[in-house]
Amino acid sequence: MQRKSLGLVALIAIPGLFFGLIFTMLLLLAPAKPAAADCGPAVSVVIDGKTKVEGYTEEQLKNAAAIMGAGKALDLSVKGQMISVMVSLGESGLRVLDHGDGPGPDSRGLFQQRDNGAWGSYADRMNPTTSATNFIKALQAVPGWELLEPTLAGNKVQRNADPYHYQKYWPEAVKLVQALSNSQFSLEGSDCAIPGQSGAGDDYPWKKSPTWLQVGASTASTSPLGMYYRECVDFALWRVNQQMGSTSAPFKFLNGSFRPDGQGLGSALTWKAGWDAKGWPTGSTPRVGAVVWYAPGAGGADPNFGHVAVVKEVKDNGTYVEEGYNGNPAPADHSYYTRTVANTVPSAFLYLPTQEEKK
């Protein structure tokens, strides 16, 4: 992979003449104190004999409605209602099952709840509303569940072996809750935005802005995030903000305020150190939405500054699709790219705090 123009990427490369100007600008751009997480109010259920959702029976729709109704009664957010429906899809297909499975032969109901005293009586576990209520109360007791990926939030309650078991059911859960609700809603842009579902393709807001090579290293070439426009780090930091629910100014995560020790996040060279300073997790497994970090020279990255990108898709054959900016030689540099990469090529994957590496 040719990546020799990737390194001149952050304000730490600006000559000393510009430091005072840029530092002042970053102070002015510092984000306001974030509000408490708002995952959207619970939605009410609208369902009758005429309600149809392709691929689902009347029984399944009634069970989904019972789950949503239980969430509404407990003032659960719409995201929580979606998570609850998702877990039931993954456990029972939205059916009240009167049997368990190998790992849990005593499991019953919509959520396959065990006969261990934690989920009430047999009648409770077989009752859609009661079983959903018990699941939701357990979900609400999980610290920070609102900011976890939906599948991880569900796993914190269910404790099944694969924390990503529910991931494939999320799109259907969203569809069902939208179809059965009485209002329009979106999680996009909220403090409970979902890592891994942040954007589609080249949605970078400053794709037509001038690069520092075109207009010099100055405020004219510096994005609201404090990085140079159309560099790999600016796109990656945009994705971080986007996935954490910050899609407009004042952005939550800036080059100059990302690290708690006051140092800039800097060029790709220092991104892993920035993650470590912030206490955010890193690992060797690609996860959709994670930042891909290449140390200098790794995988063809710039020998002085390295490179960062974002995981767009994880494949089953030991590869992943990454997206980013300034990952190709001129004249295709400073533009959006995607490519398929072997999992072992990058130096590390940098996770958002709402992501957990699959064990």
Side-chain angles (χ1 to χ4, degrees):
M1 291 186 290
Q2 294 296 319
R3 236 190 240 117
K4 300 304 183 185
S5 64
L6 300 175
L8 302 179
V9 290
L11 294 178
I12 62 167
I14 293 179
L17 176 64
F18 295 103
F19 271 125
L21 177 62
I22 296 302
F23 181 70
T24 301
M25 183 186 72
L26 289 175
L27 288 177
L28 292 175
L29 289 173
K33 183 179 179 180
D38 177 11
C39 301
V43 294
S44 298
V45 182
V46 176
I47 184 172
D48 56 33
K50 298 179 181 180
T51 303
K52 305 292 182 185
V53 178
E54 185 177 358
Y56 294 92
T57 65
E58 182 179 354
E59 174 199 2
Q60 289 172 302
L61 295 182
K62 286 182 177 179
N63 288 332
I67 294 170
M68 292 171 61
K72 178 69 174 177
L74 292 171
D75 198 27
L76 184 69
S77 67
V78 65
K79 180 180 177 182
Q81 288 172 303
M82 292 175 179
I83 291 172
S84 303
V85 172
M86 174 195 70
V87 169
S88 182
L89 278 168
E91 292 291 348
S92 68
L94 283 173
R95 297 179 176 88
V96 181
L97 300 181
D98 196 14
H99 60 79
D101 54 21
D106 58 345
S107 299
R108 295 293 185 273
L110 286 177
F111 294 88
Q112 286 291 278
Q113 292 162 333
R114 302 292 300 271
D115 184 20
N116 56 12
W119 306 105
S121 65
Y122 169 81
D124 291 336
R125 293 180 290 138
M126 293 295 289
N127 182 287
T129 297
T130 304
S131 62
T133 297
N134 288 334
F135 170 84
I136 292 165
K137 287 180 177 178
L139 176 66
Q140 291 175 319
V142 174
W145 70 266
E146 302 96 330
L147 293 178
L148 292 174
E149 288 183 69
T151 184
L152 297 177
N155 179 257
K156 293 291 186 182
V157 177
Q158 300 296 97
R159 301 183 182 277
N160 44 346
D162 180 6
Y164 288 86
H165 168 70
Y166 304 111
Q167 185 167 276
K168 61 185 176 183
Y169 300 102
W170 176 251
E172 289 298 300
V174 173
K175 180 177 79 172
L176 283 164
V177 173
Q178 288 176 329
L180 300 180
S181 70
N182 66 345
S183 59
Q184 296 296 316
F185 53 84
S186 173
L187 295 178
E188 184 177 354
S190 76
D191 285 325
C192 291
I194 303 158
Q197 299 189 12
S198 59
D202 188 9
D203 57 5
Y204 175 66
W206 308 293
K207 66 183 72 177
K208 295 182 179 179
S209 297
T211 69
W212 72 274
L213 293 173
Q214 294 171 325
V215 298
S218 67
T219 56
S221 58
T222 305
S223 87
L225 305 181
M227 302 284 189
Y228 288 144
Y229 286 125
R230 294 160 56 188
E231 293 289 350
C232 65
V233 286
D234 202 52
F235 176 83
L237 195 54
W238 155 249
R239 273 287 186 260
V240 169
N241 275 281
Q242 190 183 45
Q243 292 188 80
M244 297 300 288
S246 179
T247 57
S248 61
F251 291 96
K252 291 182 178 178
F253 302 103
L254 306 178
N255 178 34
S257 59
F258 185 88
R259 291 179 59 153
D261 57 10
Q263 297 186 43
L265 182 57
S267 71
L269 171 67
T270 58
W271 270 48
K272 186 176 185 302
W275 245 248
D276 293 341
K278 200 170 181 66
W280 283 11
T282 64
S284 59
T285 301
R287 180 69 55 211
V288 173
V291 173
V292 187
W293 181 65
Y294 295 88
D302 186 276
N304 296 311
F305 296 99
H307 182 58
V308 290
V310 180
V311 178
K312 183 175 178 62
E313 177 187 353
V314 177
K315 297 181 177 291
D316 294 329
N317 61 356
T319 65
Y320 69 93
V321 178
E322 75 175 31
E323 61 175 350
Y325 257 67
N326 202 20
N328 291 317
D333 57 341
H334 293 95
S335 60
Y336 180 76
Y337 78 90
T338 62
R339 68 171 128 249
T340 301
V341 184
N343 294 353
T344 55
V345 173
S347 304
F349 295 95
L350 315 181
Y351 307 117
L352 276 63
T354 52
Q355 294 175 309
E356 294 181 6
E357 184 175 358
K358 186 175 179 180
K359 303 301 182 183

